[in-house]
């Protein structure tokens, strides 16, 4: 069974600085998809970024980028120029490429605080 | 653009009471999911429905039942609520399980407290 581990329960960053959130996963599959979701205090789950395992190029979305290391099974999220609105819980998630599997497997989350 | 709508937003139950959490999506998605979120545990899958007419157990199905009423609606029922079911419940949908690169779209959650 696949597992997702986020080893940092809490992180803090100064406004305008850069922070990296860690995520590792365990799988025996070669094709899969990885996601980062943001959950602000409003409780809404918001997709931040996604990565296909077959793509070597790291995904980027504006100030958000990932460092995907397939061999190491690592999928970290880098937030550049941090803003107060980035304060939230961040969840790393795995999704199998197998057709019978549709659900996301989540890590336990990292709570990010942004200091003004 | 309603997306995924969950009702109610909050609910307090007494041990042994029953209730149904409602979920509806207007994106014509085939697959729907129910998750629970507990502090320090992330989100865990309770049940999912890959397509209309099918449902399958997830990681933590005990104490729950589901109904895929039609393509739009997927309800979660607690027949006899227990304090261990105090949690935040999320419904989600995606175009289909066969397109795993499509993200899940989530509702805003239901905070359930069982006393």
């Amino acid at each position: 069974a696949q597992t997702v581990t986020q080893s940092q329960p809490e992180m803090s960053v100064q406004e305008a600085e850069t922070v990296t959130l860690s995520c590792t996963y365990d799988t025996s599959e070669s094709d899969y998809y990885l996601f980062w979701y943001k959950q602000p205090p409003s409780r809404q789950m918001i997709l931040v970024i996604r990565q296909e395992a077959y793509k070597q190029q790291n995904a980027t979305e504006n100030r958000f980028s990932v460092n995907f290391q397939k061999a190491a099974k690592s999928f970290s999220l880098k937030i550049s120029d941090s803003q107060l609105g980035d304060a939230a819980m961040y969840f790393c998630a795995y999704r199998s490429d197998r057709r019978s599997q549709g659900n996301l497997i989540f890590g336990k989350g990292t709570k990010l605080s942004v200091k003004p | 653009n309603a997306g995924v709508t969950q009702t109610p937003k909050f609910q307090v139950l007494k041990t042994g009471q029953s209730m149904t959490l409602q979920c509806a999506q207007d994106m014509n998605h085939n697959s729907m999911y129910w998750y629970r979120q507990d502090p320090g545990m992330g989100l865990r899958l309770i049940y999912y429905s890959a397509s209309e007419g099918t449902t399958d157990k997830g990681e933590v199905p005990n104490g729950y039942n589901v109904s895929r009423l039609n393509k739009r609606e997927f309800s979660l029922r607690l027949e006899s609520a227990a304090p261990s079911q105090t949690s935040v419940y999320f419904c989600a949908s995606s175009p289909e399980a066969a397109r795993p690169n499509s993200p899940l779209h989530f509702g805003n959650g239901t905070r359930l407290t069982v006393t």
Side-chain angles (χ1 to χ4, degrees):
Chain A
Q2 297 86 16
T3 59
V4 177
T5 301
Q6 293 179 249
S7 59
Q8 306 153 318
E10 296 187 20
M11 291 283 286
S12 180
V13 63
Q14 204 72 32
E15 194 176 6
E17 297 295 309
T18 295
V19 64
T20 298
L21 308 184
S22 300
C23 173
T24 59
Y25 56 94
D26 188 24
T27 184
S28 59
E29 299 175 335
S30 58
D31 293 321
Y32 48 86
Y33 299 82
L34 298 165
F35 302 84
W36 277 98
Y37 277 86
K38 170 186 177 181
Q39 186 181 44
S42 66
R43 217 166 59 197
Q44 187 179 6
M45 293 289 287
I46 303 166
L47 176 69
V48 175
I49 200 165
R50 79 184 89 174
Q51 175 80 42
E52 293 87 347
Y54 62 84
K55 288 187 177 180
Q56 292 186 342
Q57 186 174 6
N58 289 326
T60 62
E61 287 287 343
N62 301 313
R63 296 183 296 107
F64 299 87
S65 61
V66 298
N67 184 5
F68 173 52
Q69 302 288 331
K70 190 172 184 179
K73 296 180 182 176
S74 172
F75 182 60
S76 61
L77 175 69
K78 185 172 83 171
I79 306 174
S80 304
D81 186 25
S82 297
Q83 301 176 358
L84 295 177
D86 294 334
M89 284 290 290
Y90 286 82
F91 292 97
C92 178
Y94 173 101
R95 195 175 195 188
S96 172
D97 188 43
R98 285 188 290 167
R99 292 300 181 257
S100 63
Q101 301 276 349
N103 60 293
L104 291 174
I105 299 169
F106 287 88
K108 295 183 178 181
T110 296
K111 183 177 182 180
L112 178 66
S113 302
V114 181
K115 297 179 180 178
Chain B
N1 293 336
V4 179
T5 302
Q6 289 183 237
T7 55
K9 289 184 170 56
F10 301 93
Q11 183 71 49
V12 178
L13 292 178
K14 294 183 178 179
T15 297
Q17 287 185 317
S18 63
M19 79 160 295
T20 299
L21 280 64
Q22 306 288 351
C23 175
Q25 52 90 11
D26 62 1
M27 296 173 283
N28 201 36
H29 286 171
N30 284 311
S31 301
M32 298 185 73
Y33 310 83
W34 276 106
Y35 286 87
R36 60 177 289 173
Q37 181 181 18
D38 302 294
M41 296 295 293
L43 281 77
R44 293 180 293 169
L45 184 68
I46 305 171
Y47 270 93
Y48 68 100
S49 171
S51 61
E52 186 178 357
T54 69
T55 60
D56 287 286
K57 295 179 180 179
E59 181 184 353
V60 288
N62 291 345
Y64 305 95
N65 285 302
V66 291
S67 295
R68 184 73 183 267
L69 305 171
N70 47 55
K71 191 172 185 178
R72 289 186 66 248
E73 299 172 289
F74 188 39
S75 62
L76 178 72
R77 182 160 178 84
L78 287 70
E79 290 291 351
S80 178
S84 61
Q85 293 178 306
T86 293
S87 188
V88 178
Y89 291 85
F90 285 95
C91 178
S93 71
S94 69
E96 54 188 274
R99 288 170 53 186
N101 62 323
S102 296
L104 268 61
H105 298 259
F106 287 84
N108 287 336
T110 296
R111 181 176 293 279
L112 174 66
T113 302
V114 183
T115 61

